[in-house]
Amino acid sequence: MTSTQITPSQRAAVVTGASTGIGQATVRLLAAQGWRVFAVARRADRLQELAAETGAIAVPTDITLDDDVDRLLGIVADAGGVDSLINIAGGARGAERMVDAKTADWDWMYQANVVGTMKMIRAFLPMLREQTDGGTVLNLTSTAGMVSYEGGAGYNAAKAAQRAMTRALRLEEAEHGVRVVEVLPGMVHTEEFSLNRLGSADAASKVYDGVEKPLTSEDVAGIVAYAVTVPHHVNLDEIVVRPLAQAAAHKVIRKQ
């Protein structure tokens, strides 16, 4: 393998969840800023389109599979390594109350949000630790990990677990020169999040009915890019971001 030491002028990142939404927007923004970006997701066709558009390196990967993660690590190391791991992949499935909870949906959410993130971190930490100018792990969690709501128990539980893991990681890695950042978005209108969760375009659109200017993928990507670009001694531990119309998890201003 080639050296995995990143020079100060050559920032490089792995971005998961890159086939859509916030992950895709983050790849676009970092690539435009001159980063070398490894775009990671399961859907190879979407990654290839993104790579052609941005110059990112497409690496189709299922982050919940050990063999896929090991293959990704080898590709990244052979290409020169990275100093930042940006874990965007995740999501929600279902909005049933506990009495109607679907085991398959809960299993998927835990694997996608928690276990997949853990496997990526476990694989890349040795590389991040060896960076002379410091490595960074950024996990995209959610305000759903802070405040629970009816019909959200599975997603609340998965994001709360991902949040707890992130906070433990920060304590463990500070002495190794790895900063750990958590970005917690509230209501973000993306291409697929609510559609995947609720199963229909009509149900997904109702989530945002009457909400003036919900956050966009680009809004959150800008915050992610800022957090990994500031000087390494600056650690933005937790960044909670909501649209103005969402004053709190339980209060959303909707105009008719």
Side-chain angles (χ1 to χ4, degrees), residues 9 15 19 29 35 77 108 166 168 222 246 256:
S9 61
V15 179
S19 63
L29 182 53
W35 288 57
W108 183 89
T166 303
Q246 187 181 27
Q256 301 302 320

Side-chain angles (χ1 to χ4, degrees), residues 120-187:
M120 289 293 295
I121 293 168
R122 182 177 64 189
F124 280 91
L125 269 181
M127 181 184 294
L128 299 177
R129 286 178 173 182
E130 74 177 28
Q131 301 307 315
T132 301
D133 294 301
T136 299
V137 175
L138 186 146
N139 290 341
L140 188 88
T141 63
S142 171
T143 55
M146 302 170 64
V147 180
S148 297
Y149 52 89
E150 294 116 322
Y155 188 55
N156 295 145
K159 284 302 184 182
Q162 189 185 27
R163 174 164 164 74
M165 176 176 64
T166 303
R167 299 174 85 176
L169 181 70
R170 185 178 300 114
L171 297 174
E172 294 171 355
E173 291 303 314
E175 65 190 84
H176 300 292
V178 177
R179 66 179 172 181
V180 177
V181 180
E182 181 183 6
V183 177
L184 303 92
M187 181 178 282

